[in-house]
Amino acid sequence: EAPPLVLKAQGNLSDRELMETEVIKLLLSNYFNIVKRTIADLVPKAIMLHLVSNAKENLQRELLSELYKSEVLDSLLKESDFTIQRRKECRKMIEALKKADEIVSSV
């Protein structure tokens, strides 16, 4: 047999019992309002987290597939003209410093 929907005290309640009952009702009502508000705040956050995670995974998959295409890979790995020029300058500087070191060491 199903329990009754509403439980009622039998007999007369004292003033203190009535007051305690009202306090408990108020506390329960406030608690459920807090829970409703918390869930209402968390649901959109959870949905956004799910959407952002899926978008991130799809974007990462797409970017990696584009990055590792063989026709694009060679152009991505090629050094820029500035880097080539800078590397030549650094090699010349190293040679000049080695010669200077030899000169200073021989003195």
Side-chain angles (χ1 to χ4, degrees):
E1 181 177 322
L5 295 176
V6 178
L7 294 176
K8 294 190 178 191
Q10 296 179 357
N12 292 332
L13 297 176
S14 67
D15 288 340
R16 180 176 178 186
E17 290 172 334
L18 285 172
M19 182 182 70
E20 288 176 353
T21 304
E22 290 303 316
V23 168
I24 291 172
K25 283 181 186 178
L26 182 64
L27 289 173
L28 281 173
S29 175
N30 288 338
Y31 173 76
F32 281 114
N33 286 335
I34 291 170
V35 169
K36 279 195 292 187
R37 199 173 327 124
T38 302
I39 289 176
D41 288 344
L42 288 177
V43 168
K45 290 177 184 177
I47 291 170
M48 285 303 295
L49 175 65
H50 183 69
L51 290 174
V52 168
S53 295
N54 282 343
K56 180 193 78 151
E57 290 171 10
N58 291 336
L59 186 59
Q60 185 176 11
R61 188 179 318 111
E62 185 68 27
L63 288 173
L64 285 176
S65 69
E66 288 294 317
L67 180 66
Y68 289 120
K69 285 184 177 177
S70 60
E71 62 270 5
V72 179
L73 193 58
D74 291 334
S75 66
L76 290 174
L77 293 176
K78 183 182 176 215
E79 285 186 334
S80 69
D81 293 336
F82 174 77
T83 305
I84 293 170
Q85 182 64 31
R86 183 78 175 118
R87 185 181 307 279
K88 288 179 183 176
E89 291 171 5
C90 288
R91 283 189 181 139
K92 287 180 184 177
M93 181 61 76
I94 289 172
E95 289 300 318
L97 290 172
K98 283 182 182 177
K99 287 181 185 177
D101 185 45
E102 289 175 11
I103 293 171
V104 170
S105 296
S106 67
V107 173

